[in-house]
Amino acid sequence: MSKPVILSVDDDHEVLGAIERDLRRHYRGEYRILKASSGRAGLQAAVELKQRGTPVALFLVDERMPGMSGTEMLQEARKLHPDARRVLLTAYADTEAAIRGINDVGLDHYLLKPWDPPDLRLYPVLDDLLSDWSANVRLPYDGLRVAGGTWSPQSYAVKEFLSRNGVPYRWLDVDGDESVRELVTSVTGDPTLLPVVLFADGSTLVRPTHQELAEKVGMRTVASRPFYDLVIVGGGPAGLAAAVYAASEGLATLMVEQEAPGGQAGTSSQIENYLGFPAGVSGADLARRATAQAKRFGAELLSAQEVTAIRRDDPYRVVRLGNGTEVSSYAVILAQGVSVRTLQVPGVETLTGRGVFYGAAMTEAATYRGRHVCVMGGANSAGQGALFFSRYASRVTMLVRADSLHKSMSRYLIDRIEAASNIEVQTGLEVVEVYGAGHLEGVSVRDVSTGDVRSIQLAALFIFIGSAPHTATVADLVELDEKGYVLTGPDLPSAASGRPAGWLPDRDPYLFETSVPGIFAAGDVRAGSGKRVAAAVGEGSGCVSVVHRYLATV
């Protein structure tokens, strides 16, 4: 596939040359830079690119051109490349053109000439627009294919990992295409050995681990240095916020994420109450933006890498990774978050990944288009999941153990659920069994007040029934509460000295600091946290200021 195009259009040859120079300097690695000296020439270039099937990522067009204005050109080009981002250039504040552009062509931005220095006045604007374009536009297929089965848990795991990490792939279903089955057999000798991941260079991976996949597609899985100022365990909102603030303030920062940036929040189909996004933002988009921001400031992010142990070796903290390597640091932030609590009823273990899923499992939405699915749970995450699946399924049933949604769900979500014609909320019910031959066929539910049991036939069950903290690796290192969450600051139990047992510094623990000096906790994994995305972001960023105070003492 040829590179997507950035097309600049201006009738002033000096300005056009300057635009081309600045665009090539910053974007030539990922985009093809083209130019045109008039509106009509720019439109003709857009036509030719459409005919060749070359995607246009962004139009950067001068407004005041003879024969065809920038707005007129963009209005026609929009019909050919509707997903391209559209930016107008002008030499002065032309309010009339801006209003016309916004109303007539869905203008994305408006830039004044001159744009010097481009590092401040040009690139940040275009970086954001191009990031949005690449995240939301489906480009022509470019090589990576996953051959698997609808009812294969391993296939589901690979699809989910690639999707959440923003790696495009083409799905090949062995159940619906005999040629795909033959392809898998030619690679493995066994058509049931799924999935098979096929790469553009001709290589293949059979039932790969997340780490094998990450290494193959070019993700960083190995730390570049042995020592950092700060290691952050977990890449959810708290971890990402900590990485952004720590790196921006000059700390050598490493963030280690086991699955995908964004954590549980990254699976949210739409977060509508996050400050600054009046139309809402998906968890994936929020995670993508935060990841790009952290990398821009110099934070190093490891993907598909598990932290298996942390030990104290004063004045250092040593983190052992799943590949057996170790990295040292002055400080550690625990931000590994929580996972959806597993459902302990007959049939679940066998059917997980075969119609039973934990969390939103957005990669599976198209599989259940026009079918009946159930969402189990009554908190915000369940509500967001129900609304997401209602776009695809013919019917969504919410199974809620409480007698109403009002005890655990935000009002705005309740209002939207009540307004959705294909969502039905059934309260006072608990799932006691899931069943099916090879894949989910139905669930048995019990009325919690009467004890009556009945069956519901359905195609998929998505489970949101509370959370459990990821603290197994630090259970013997830091103090936890009775539910396994990390205790910090004033919540730590005190010994006779008035400070935590074994506490050596001649000071009280800082806010967000655990029972081990230099190890901090932020976000959902911390006891007493707000369990909201905004709260996690606030804790992650606030935790960095406390880390600075600690670093000043070592």
Side-chain angles (χ1 to χ4, degrees):
M1 185 188 72
S2 60
K3 293 179 181 178
V5 165
I6 297 176
L7 176 62
S8 59
V9 184
D10 200 304
D11 65 314
D12 185 319
H13 290 283
E14 284 192 21
V15 172
L16 189 60
I19 294 173
E20 181 185 31
R21 178 199 65 217
D22 288 341
L23 291 177
R24 286 189 184 280
R25 180 162 68 92
H26 196 67
Y27 297 110
R28 63 184 178 185
E30 299 177 51
Y31 298 91
R32 183 181 172 197
I33 311 301
L34 298 181
K35 63 180 180 178
S37 57
S38 70
R40 295 198 182 282
L43 183 59
Q44 181 59 36
V47 170
E48 293 173 359
L49 290 168
K50 179 68 173 180
Q51 291 172 344
R52 292 200 294 266
T54 302
V56 177
L58 185 139
F59 290 104
L60 183 59
V61 182
D62 182 55
E63 169 59 11
R64 301 296 179 178
M65 294 184 293
M68 176 178 279
S69 71
T71 302
E72 291 170 339
M73 187 217 126
L74 287 174
Q75 198 164 13
E76 295 302 314
R78 184 183 186 183
K79 301 173 185 176
L80 301 166
H81 302 276
D83 295 318
R85 298 305 186 251
R86 296 171 286 277
V87 180
L88 268 184
L89 274 174
T90 188
Y92 53 90
D94 192 340
T95 305
E96 178 186 346
I99 294 173
R100 187 168 62 251
I102 292 169
N103 292 332
D104 295 346
V105 301
L107 197 65
D108 292 296
H109 209 85
Y110 192 81
L111 285 175
L112 296 180
K113 295 185 285 187
W115 55 85
D116 288 328
D119 288 335
L120 295 179
R121 297 186 178 181
L122 180 68
Y123 300 145
V125 172
L126 300 192
D127 283 349
D128 195 46
L129 293 175
L130 290 168
S131 178
D132 277 344
W133 179 84
S134 62
N136 294 295
V137 172
R138 187 181 181 90
L139 293 176
Y141 169 63
D142 195 25
L144 196 155
R145 296 170 292 167
V146 178
T150 303
W151 311 121
S152 162
Q154 296 88 351
S155 298
Y156 161 69
V158 165
K159 288 194 296 178
E160 188 77 353
F161 177 80
L162 292 174
S163 177
R164 290 194 59 197
N165 281 282
V167 179
Y169 66 91
R170 182 180 177 187
W171 171 247
L172 305 176
D173 193 347
V174 297
D175 299 320
D177 192 330
E178 183 59 32
S179 64
V180 176
R181 191 176 182 85
E182 292 173 356
L183 174 64
V184 169
T185 303
S186 69
V187 173
T188 67
D190 181 355
T192 65
L193 198 57
L194 302 172
V196 175
V197 184
L198 305 102
F199 298 89
D201 62 3
S203 61
T204 60
L205 288 175
V206 180
R207 286 192 177 177
T209 64
H210 288 175
Q211 187 170 340
E212 289 172 336
L213 267 179
E215 291 171 351
K216 182 64 178 178
V217 300
M219 298 166 131
R220 181 183 289 276
T221 61
V222 179
S224 65
R225 51 197 291 184
F227 186 83
Y228 298 84
D229 294 319
L230 173 66
V231 172
I232 301 165
V233 183
L240 285 167
V244 168
Y245 279 85
S248 69
E249 293 168 11
L251 298 183
T253 304
L254 175 71
M255 189 186 84
V256 184
E257 169 53 41
Q258 184 174 349
E259 295 180 2
Q264 288 297 307
T267 66
S268 294
S269 57
Q270 192 79 342
I271 304 168
E272 297 187 63
N273 59 352
Y274 190 74
L275 183 67
F277 291 88
V281 60
S282 73
D285 277 347
L286 190 64
R288 174 183 55 79
R289 289 170 178 264
T291 299
Q293 195 174 18
K295 289 180 177 178
R296 175 172 167 260
F297 284 123
E300 185 176 323
L301 277 59
L302 298 190
S303 300
Q305 192 60 263
E306 181 183 7
V307 171
T308 59
I310 302 173
R311 74 174 186 272
R312 177 177 180 174
D313 188 8
D314 288 332
Y316 311 116
R317 305 294 175 257
V318 182
V319 176
R320 176 175 285 274
L321 303 177
N323 60 5
T325 62
E326 291 184 341
V327 292
S328 300
S329 64
Y330 286 123
V332 170
I333 294 178
L334 303 176
Q336 57 269 57
V338 298
S339 60
V340 177
R341 195 175 297 278
T342 57
L343 178 63
Q344 302 294 323
V345 301
V348 166
E349 187 174 350
T350 302
L351 296 175
T352 297
R354 295 184 170 96
V356 175
F357 305 97
Y358 288 96
M362 288 185 282
T363 55
E364 302 305 296
T367 302
Y368 300 102
R369 186 183 299 275
R371 306 177 74 182
H372 178 204
V373 305
C374 277
V375 170
M376 182 182 177
N380 278 9
S381 56
Q384 291 164 350
L387 289 167
F388 172 73
F389 289 115
S390 70
R391 305 177 204 167
Y392 301 87
S394 60
R395 179 183 167 199
V396 178
T397 299
M398 293 192 69
L399 302 174
V400 184
R401 195 178 192 282
D403 56 9
S404 78
L405 292 175
H406 295 80
K407 296 179 180 179
S408 55
M409 188 178 293
S410 298
R411 180 72 245 182
Y412 80 92
L413 282 172
I414 295 174
D415 291 342
R416 290 195 59 199
I417 288 169
E418 290 176 346
S421 60
N422 63 336
I423 299 179
E424 176 190 11
V425 179
Q426 296 189 18
T427 59
L429 295 177
E430 60 183 3
V431 175
V432 294
E433 183 186 10
V434 301
Y435 57 87
H439 61 85
L440 181 69
E441 297 174 8
V443 299
S444 296
V445 297
R446 178 169 54 212
D447 189 305
V448 296
S449 59
T450 67
D452 294 340
V453 176
R454 60 185 173 88
S455 292
I456 301 176
Q457 304 300 307
L458 69 155
L461 175 68
F462 300 93
I463 301 170
F464 302 82
I465 53 169
S467 57
H470 287 303
T471 52
T473 57
V474 295
D476 296 327
L477 178 67
V478 300
E479 290 281 349
L480 308 178
D481 70 4
E482 66 280 2
K483 295 181 179 179
Y485 291 88
V486 180
L487 292 167
T488 59
D491 293 329
L492 285 166
S494 299
S497 63
R499 291 170 178 159
W503 184 264
L504 298 180
D506 187 20
R507 61 171 176 82
D508 291 337
Y510 294 130
L511 187 68
F512 301 124
E513 194 169 21
T514 70
S515 57
V516 176
I519 298 181
F520 303 81
D524 288 358
V525 77
R526 191 183 69 84
S529 64
K531 304 298 186 288
R532 289 288 188 269
V533 175
V537 169
E539 289 197 7
S541 55
C543 193
V544 173
S545 64
V546 185
V547 169
H548 277 293
R549 291 179 64 188
Y550 172 77
L551 292 178
T553 68
V554 297

